[in-house]
Amino acid sequence: MNSLYHIELTEKYGAHNYKPLKVVLTRGEGVWVWDVEGNKYIDMLSSYSALNQGHRHPKIINAIIEQLNNITLTSRAFYNDKLSLFLKKLNEITGYDKALPMNSGAEAVETALKIARKWAYTKKGIPLNDGEIIVALNNFHGRTITIISFSSEKQYRYAFGPFTPGFVFVPFGDEKAIERVINERTIGVLIEPIQGEGGIIVPPDGYLKKLREITKEKGVLLILDEIQTGLGRTGKLFAYQHELSEDEKPDILILGKALGGGVYPVSVVLANDNIMEVIKPGDHGSTFGGNPLASIIGITSIEVIIEENLPENARIMGEYFIKNLREIKSPYIKEVRGKGLLIGVELNKPAREFCERLLELGVLSKETHDYVIRFAPPLIIKREEIDWALERIEAVLSK
Ligand SMILES: *Cc1c(COP(=O)(O)O)cnc(C)c1O
């Protein structure tokens, strides 16, 4: 069966909620993937940062195989002997008292919003169901009805209303705007340290630090969505660590994507006891959240990131990659920006056609926000592999 066969079946029987590049992948290893015709590609998207450890990392795969031979699903009606260890591991690497495990990123964002709201009504004293959460314009936090209720992207919202109320917009990167809209009904601020889907938008230096000071002074929560920036992507284990010390860390931290080791959706919401204690049995749950297979995947995914020093590799390789991208002489490049291995190349023409040409040369990337090519390879990438990609990126962007 060739590529065309699979593309046709997918388009015929699948909802058209994506517009994939025309390549049909059948195998992956490390930073490399192969299509059904046997062509080899370097994966410069890594499933939107869900493959920080690379495709089929042997340690993660072996742990899964072992777990498959024991038990896979218990539900939270019972305890299991892997969730316990996963929660302990999360505490060790993040310092938060408690974690609440979910599956997808969007579910974890929803969970964080519920925790924040309940904290505000039962502890902060905001009148019941009257609170506001501040969000940034151009954000991306997922696509459930509540989450698109505070998206500023027209297409995400069009014909999907009515929406969930209780959200207030401010421009991203401008802490003064947040200071202005905080009032007695403000629950907290939900923000991405770098806007990923929004086009790899890096806020001015000091933004998070000032946000932390303002939220602390006003007594509102700082809720950080590190689903894409977390777990090493930007050159630190968490992107907030570029600016905040351990005792300044966000009140609520949301992780997902790479926590699933490129295998399976695993997400968590982290907070200290004074916040997480508002959640009581029955308030929230998930059939699959915290299952033993997900838990062993979470544990091993974290171990790989730490044992292999992936945040440090992301920092070094990211600097190298960005420097070399900036040296490309191109009539199309407007700006190269990013942190660690979360990199955006903004063009003066739609990025799609460039991604299609990169594909022909064996480089997988994806446009985001029409004019930006995102490069976010697995964090295990080596210099030679970046050079291999750079040669092809230069060929496409310089002519
Ligand atoms: C991908 C992403 C999400 C949504 O995660 P899903 O697993 O696709 O639901 C939320 N927030 C950010 C910042 C993301 O990058």
Side-chain angles (χ1 to χ4, degrees):
M1 308 293 176
N2 62 10
S3 289
L4 202 58
Y5 174 79
H6 295 286
I7 291 172
E8 279 174 6
L9 280 192
T10 307
E11 297 302 326
K12 180 159 188 239
Y13 296 115
H16 292 177
N17 59 327
Y18 279 91
K19 191 172 167 247
L21 290 175
K22 288 197 163 41
V23 59
V24 180
L25 303 176
T26 185
R27 197 164 79 78
E29 188 175 330
V31 302
W32 302 98
V33 291
W34 286 263
D35 69 12
V36 290
E37 277 81 24
N39 300 305
K40 177 180 167 181
Y41 304 84
I42 192 162
D43 185 353
M44 288 298 214
L45 180 64
S46 36
S47 295
Y48 308 94
S49 297
L51 281 156
N52 287 3
Q53 304 87 346
H55 289 267
R56 291 190 310 115
H57 191 288
K59 178 164 174 163
I60 298 174
I61 298 299
N62 287 333
I64 293 168
I65 292 171
E66 204 181 314
Q67 189 62 38
L68 288 176
N69 287 319
N70 292 327
I71 192 166
T72 53
L73 189 60
T74 56
S75 85
R76 296 291 304 273
F78 314 106
Y79 290 89
N80 74 65
D81 68 351
K82 294 301 175 307
L83 177 58
S84 49
L85 305 181
F86 182 34
L87 296 171
K88 177 165 173 279
K89 174 68 79 185
L90 285 164
N91 166 268
E92 281 164 15
I93 64 151
T94 67
Y96 288 97
D97 295 334
K98 295 265 191 302
L100 197 163
M102 295 296 286
N103 312 282
S104 72
E107 281 180 321
V109 172
E110 290 266 351
T111 304
L113 295 172
K114 286 175 73 175
I115 295 168
R117 282 180 167 185
K118 190 161 182 200
W119 169 85
Y121 302 137
T122 61
K123 293 206 134 192
K124 186 173 152 73
I126 294 179
L128 201 57
N129 301 341
D130 203 25
E132 292 175 349
I133 292 175
I134 300 168
V135 297
L137 288 164
N138 196 44
N139 71 66
F140 183 86
H141 298 285
R143 316 232 195 162
T144 63
I145 298 254
T146 288
I147 295 172
I148 60 164
S149 297
F150 58 86
S151 172
S152 56
E153 187 69 29
K154 271 207 193 75
Q155 194 201 342
Y156 292 170
R157 292 167 56 94
Y158 175 71
F160 293 128
F163 299 109
T164 307
F167 299 96
V168 178
F169 287 108
V170 291
F172 183 64
D174 175 4
E175 74 284 350
K176 297 237 163 57
I178 290 181
E179 208 162 11
R180 277 195 295 272
V181 299
I182 290 180
N183 62 52
E184 68 285 351
R185 292 164 52 214
T186 304
I187 295 169
V189 180
L190 168 65
I191 209 106
E192 299 157 85
I194 294 174
Q195 290 188 326
E197 303 310 299
I200 321 296
I201 311 294
V202 185
D205 283 346
Y207 178 59
L208 264 190
K209 185 108 191 156
K210 287 182 199 137
L211 257 190
R212 177 70 283 188
E213 281 161 16
I214 293 165
T215 48
K216 191 160 226 163
E217 187 200 311
K218 305 271 188 186
V220 306
L221 301 178
L222 178 60
I223 308 163
L224 226 52
D225 179 348
E226 291 236 30
I227 291 171
Q228 185 156 168
T229 55
L231 299 169
R233 176 54 57 188
T234 71
K236 298 259 186 201
L237 187 57
F238 304 113
Y240 79 75
Q241 292 171 328
H242 290 287
E243 296 200 351
L244 304 182
S245 67
E246 274 317 285
D247 43 309
E248 294 170 319
K249 65 180 188 289
D251 301 298
I252 300 181
L253 182 69
I254 311 167
L255 302 178
K257 292 203 165 106
L259 197 55
V263 182
Y264 180 98
V266 183
S267 63
V268 294
V269 179
L270 296 143
N272 280 339
D273 281 328
N274 62 322
I275 294 171
M276 198 66 99
E277 71 194 9
V278 303
I279 296 296
K280 309 285 185 221
D283 277 358
H284 192 60
S286 160
T287 305
F288 283 87
N291 74 65
L293 188 62
S295 297
I296 201 72
I297 291 171
I299 293 168
T300 327
S301 299
I302 292 169
E303 281 172 357
V304 167
I305 287 166
I306 292 176
E307 286 163 11
E308 300 188 10
N309 258 325
L310 294 187
E312 180 66 359
N313 195 56
R315 187 181 67 76
I316 296 167
M317 291 301 134
E319 274 172 20
Y320 177 74
F321 199 1
I322 290 176
K323 175 176 156 285
N324 281 277
L325 285 168
R326 286 189 175 141
E327 280 169 9
I328 295 177
K329 295 211 176 13
S330 163
Y332 309 115
I333 298 181
K334 265 179 73 180
E335 189 187 24
V336 176
R337 56 181 180 246
K339 211 169 214 163
L341 284 169
L342 185 56
I343 301 170
V345 177
E346 184 168 342
L347 307 177
N348 55 21
K349 291 181 75 179
R352 176 83 182 192
E353 59 181 284
F354 294 93
C355 294
E356 282 165 0
R357 267 192 269 149
L358 282 169
L359 171 70
E360 283 167 26
L361 297 183
V363 178
L364 296 189
S365 63
K366 190 71 169 58
E367 77 275 11
T368 171
H369 263 228
D370 293 352
Y371 289 88
V372 181
I373 309 180
R374 170 182 9 210
F375 292 115
L379 309 185
I380 55 166
I381 198 165
K382 299 189 189 78
R383 197 172 295 247
E384 311 86 84
E385 293 162 336
I386 291 182
D387 288 338
W388 192 96
L390 271 168
E391 210 176 288
R392 287 156 179 83
I393 295 166
E394 179 162 13
V396 165
L397 285 175
S398 60
K399 62 165 176 265

